Amino acid sequence: MVRHDEKLASGRMVVERYTWLERITHLVHLLAMFILLITGFRIYFGWDFMQFQTARAIHMIAVPFFLAANWILVPYNIFSCKGERWCVRSRIDHFREAYIFEEEDAERLFDIIRNFFGKGRYPAFTLYDEREGYYITKLHPMLKLLIIFESTAIVLIAITGIVLYDINWAPLGLPVSEWILSIVWYFASMFNVNALGLIRTGHLLAGYWFVFELVVHVGILEFDPKVWKYHKAIFWSGKEDLSDRNFVKVVEED
């Protein structure tokens, strides 16, 4: 639930868009991703700006931060509750509304495409329910689609990274790397390629995906000055003035 911080006579309504933990999560994800990309490309392509062992060590240090941000902090931020009744059920419903691409998102995306060609207004993609005091959704419909591919890329890069880290990795005696290689060999044989080569290719392609996502997320969707307020909210204040109705729709109190 989002708390109203201000609702002044002037009409300003400032609410908490991101908690301090959500802002920390985003920052950790961003920094870890940059470190992984830079060191990973150095390892793969042999760039000479850093020693191989140094790049590998930094790469491996960044891994747990990246995975913790995405697999621990993000789920906690989404599903954590503060004593509401029917908490689990309400958080699942909120997750579906806020993060899953649905029919309303498809309609907004269609209107965005129409706007690009000069047809109609750019639709609001930030929806806030003033009656309940919470965001129905904060995400651009395109970002909801990117979440699906990003989640897949994270799983792929983690699984392939295990083998690339140690081809004989067997924590607690469990031959995890061997299991992964066995599964990959099954698919590699269909294409008549080496399993380890396929793993390297998959790891690299997942890295390229994050470069592409960064370009789309920042370079295309958020270079409009009207959305700079979101950068301020996620990196600094955590708050948003909903009286600025650019890309915002508020379901107002009766």
Side-chain angles (χ1 to χ4, degrees), residues 7-206:
K7 191 171 183 181
L8 307 179
S10 62
R12 292 186 67 224
M13 185 172 72
V14 179
V15 300
E16 185 180 60
R17 183 179 176 91
Y18 301 108
T19 67
W20 68 269
L21 186 57
E22 287 175 319
R23 301 198 300 276
I24 291 295
T25 300
H26 183 268
L27 185 61
V28 171
H29 169 87
L30 182 65
L31 293 177
M33 181 183 67
F34 272 122
I35 292 171
L36 288 169
L37 287 173
I38 293 170
T39 56
F41 288 143
R42 185 271 170 254
I43 292 168
Y44 189 89
F45 293 112
W47 297 339
D48 59 2
F49 69 90
M50 183 186 298
Q51 293 294 323
F52 175 86
Q53 291 300 332
T54 301
R56 190 174 188 273
I58 295 174
H59 195 82
M60 296 313 303
I61 290 172
V63 166
F65 287 94
F66 184 74
L67 295 182
N70 286 282
W71 289 352
I72 298 177
L73 294 180
V74 167
Y76 176 81
N77 289 331
I78 292 174
F79 294 107
S80 60
C81 305
K82 296 182 180 180
E84 301 103 324
R85 292 186 62 188
W86 306 106
C87 180
V88 174
R89 183 174 180 178
S90 67
R91 297 311 292 174
I92 291 175
D93 289 341
H94 174 66
F95 172 76
R96 178 183 56 78
E97 285 183 322
Y99 298 97
I100 302 300
F101 189 87
E102 298 185 311
E103 182 178 350
E104 291 181 356
D105 298 297
E107 293 174 356
R108 279 193 286 270
L109 185 57
F110 178 71
D111 288 340
I112 289 169
I113 295 172
R114 291 182 69 251
N115 174 264
F116 180 80
F117 292 101
K119 305 292 184 179
R121 297 182 60 186
Y122 203 101
F125 54 80
T126 292
L127 304 179
Y128 183 83
D129 190 331
E130 186 179 8
R131 296 169 299 183
E132 298 294 334
Y134 81 103
Y135 280 94
I136 298 172
T137 182
K138 304 174 186 176
L139 297 183
H140 191 287
M142 181 60 72
L143 294 184
K144 287 189 176 183
L145 287 176
L146 292 180
I147 286 175
I148 300 171
F149 297 103
E150 178 180 1
S151 301
T152 303
I154 291 172
V155 172
L156 176 62
I157 212 166
I159 292 174
T160 55
I162 289 173
V163 178
L164 296 177
Y165 167 71
D166 185 353
I167 199 171
N168 297 310
W169 195 59
L172 303 176
L174 300 175
V176 176
S177 288
E178 184 178 328
W179 291 341
I180 295 172
L181 277 169
S182 298
I183 295 172
V184 175
W185 267 115
Y186 174 78
F187 294 99
S189 62
M190 297 180 180
F191 302 99
N192 196 29
V193 297
N194 181 276
L196 192 56
L198 186 58
I199 285 174
R200 287 196 183 98
T201 301
H203 200 77
L204 179 65
L205 290 177

